[in-house]
Amino acid sequence: MAKAYWVVTYREIRDSEAFKRYAAVAPAAVQAHGGRFLVRGMAAKVYEAGIEQRVVVIEFDNLAQALSAHDT
């Protein structure tokens, strides 16, 4: 079965304290549904008209896991 991925970008973090609280609990919630973090952080280099922003890529074994994690 094909794997599923979440690609999350943060164009702007307006409340850094709220983001820190979210970042403290989100990984456990994602991992409880089988998600594995492949990438977390800022781009090392931005080209063309790219926007320097935080990016997270999460891999799931299948779409059902990804949807389950999202819908909880």
Side-chain angles (χ1 to χ4, degrees):
M1 183 175 276
K3 294 188 183 233
Y5 297 86
W6 286 0
V7 178
V8 182
T9 59
Y10 296 83
R11 293 191 60 120
E12 182 179 3
I13 297 172
R14 295 183 184 161
D15 185 339
S16 61
E17 290 305 312
F19 180 76
K20 286 178 188 176
R21 289 190 303 274
Y22 168 77
V25 298
V30 170
Q31 291 166 343
H33 291 274
R36 292 174 298 285
F37 288 85
L38 302 180
V39 174
R40 284 191 279 192
M42 298 296 291
K45 178 77 176 157
V46 177
Y47 290 94
E48 310 282 334
I51 300 170
E52 187 174 357
Q53 60 190 14
R54 183 173 176 78
V55 177
V56 178
V57 178
I58 304 166
E59 178 183 65
F60 294 88
D61 287 335
N62 55 60
L63 182 59
Q65 282 182 332
L67 293 174
S68 176
H70 177 272
D71 293 345
T72 55

